[in-house]
């Protein structure tokens, strides 16, 4: 994929400043921030284009290395340094003051539209797997926590010296609220409710019953296969003119829902097999020794999503019961 024209034109070898001392300027700008360093600005734009066209951070790192392009301090670019550089508001000549971006009096390197798309792409929790594993697995990332303003996923974001927050992934303008909530508080609330369910003998009995109705694992796999072939058959019937578009849509929706429900039960079966008896102290003990991946699995088999409503208070805000709406899986 590196043979694309824009990459060929961007084979710039940047002469990095390494005069022994620490270099404090930002890549792309002179040390006075009054002008861009054009070779570096070209590299930044190339990075942006590459990522927005589907390139991976890892691939980009390899490319920069092979071209001998290093950071201002002469180090090899890493996924995290690229991510930090490209999502810094200085890219559009701005800086962050409180929750707002204000003019920083420095020349922009990227267009606002490009910058916004990059932030969305690079700060999306689903991309975390490309950042080199440094990003913690957020308990409620990936769409489990949703914005009460626009309904889209909240992503977890942490900056040095500040408590991590879940915040709306939509840039200002598109979301009327830009919800933000302290990650620790929301995680704790969800954990408490999830563990309460798992510790309840009544709830567990009902869950086990619904899972057991599925039958053996082989039977479940066969059932999913069967549903998938029905899905294909519906498409064929439509193509042959045997059914109308409406019938096709209703049919495929139904089959898709059935597949999702069956797959969820399979996942529940898997996760529940690891859990101790529905006894509060045993459940809490299990949770404490389990890893982030297991925590996420447990939450995801029970909780469809949790919506966090906007608050009038300044800052990320606390968690009062009216702010959060839980939608559990049925
Ligand atoms: Zn929103």
């Amino acid at each position: 994929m590196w043979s694309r024209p824009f990459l060929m034109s961007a084979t710039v070898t940047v002469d990095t400043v390494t005069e022994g001392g620490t270099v404090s300027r930002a890549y792309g700008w002179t040390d006075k921030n009054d002008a861009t360093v054009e070779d570096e600005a070209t590299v930044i734009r190339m990075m942006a284009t590459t990522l927005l066209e589907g390139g991976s951070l890892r691939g980009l790192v390899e490319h920069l290395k092979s071209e001998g392009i290093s950071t201002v301090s002469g180090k090899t670019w890493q996924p995290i340094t690229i991510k930090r550089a490209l999502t810094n508001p200085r890219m559009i000549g701005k800086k962050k003051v409180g929750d707002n971006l204000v003019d920083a009096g420095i020349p922009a390197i990227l267009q606002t539209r490009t910058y916004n798309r990059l932030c969305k792409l690079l700060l999306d929790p689903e991309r975390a797997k490309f950042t080199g594993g440094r990003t913690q697995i957020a308990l409620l990332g990936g769409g489990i926590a949703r914005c009460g303003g626009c309904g889209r996923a909240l992503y977890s974001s942490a900056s040095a010296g500040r408590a991590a927050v879940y915040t709306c992934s939509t840039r200002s303008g598109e979301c009327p609220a830009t919800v933000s909530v302290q990650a620790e508080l929301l995680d704790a609330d969800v954990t408490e409710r999830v563990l309460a369910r798992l510790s309840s003998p009544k709830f567990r009995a009902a869950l086990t019953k619904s899972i057991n109705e599925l039958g053996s694992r082989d039977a479940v796999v066969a059932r999913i296969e069967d549903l998938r072939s029905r899905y294909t058959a519906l498409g064929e019937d439509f193509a042959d003119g045997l059914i109308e578009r409406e019938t096709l849509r209703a049919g495929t929706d139904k089959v898709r829902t059935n597949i999702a429900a069956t797959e969820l039960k399979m996942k529940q079966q898997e996760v529940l097999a690891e859990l101790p008896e529905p006894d509060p102290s045993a459940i809490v003990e299990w949770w404490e020794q389990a890893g982030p991946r297991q925590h996420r699995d447990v939450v995801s088999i029970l909780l469809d999503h949790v919506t966090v409503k906007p608050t009038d208070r300044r800052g990320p805000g606390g968690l009062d019961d009216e702010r959060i709406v839980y939608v559990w899986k049925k």
Side-chain angles (χ1 to χ4, degrees), residues 173-206:
E174 283 177 63
C175 175
T178 317
V179 159
S180 173
V181 66
Q182 259 191 47
E184 201 178 61
L185 292 179
L186 188 60
D187 283 359
D189 198 80
V190 169
T191 302
E192 196 181 305
R193 286 167 199 250
V194 163
L195 297 190
R197 284 178 175 237
L198 294 173
S199 307
S200 150
K202 208 174 145 197
F203 177 84
R204 284 280 289 277

Side-chain angles (χ1 to χ4, degrees), residues 2-16:
W2 303 118
S3 59
R4 291 205 203 115
F6 69 85
L7 276 182
M8 309 227 305
S9 66
T11 49
V12 191
T13 308
V14 177
D15 192 16
T16 46

Side-chain angles (χ1 to χ4, degrees), residues 30-42:
T30 58
D31 53 3
K32 289 199 184 83
N33 279 320
D34 54 357
T36 56
V37 175
E38 226 16 69
D39 281 354
E40 296 180 2
T42 305

Side-chain angles (χ1 to χ4, degrees), residues 1 22 54 68 84 123 138 158 160 192 223 236-237 251 270 323:
M1 71 175 300
T22 357
R84 278 206 199 111
L123 301 175
E192 196 181 305
R223 184 168 157 72
E236 283 164 1
D237 284 354
E270 245 173 64
R323 272 198 87 189

Side-chain angles (χ1 to χ4, degrees), residues 147 149-151 168 170 175 178-179:
C147 170
C150 65
C168 180
T170 310
C175 175
T178 317
V179 159

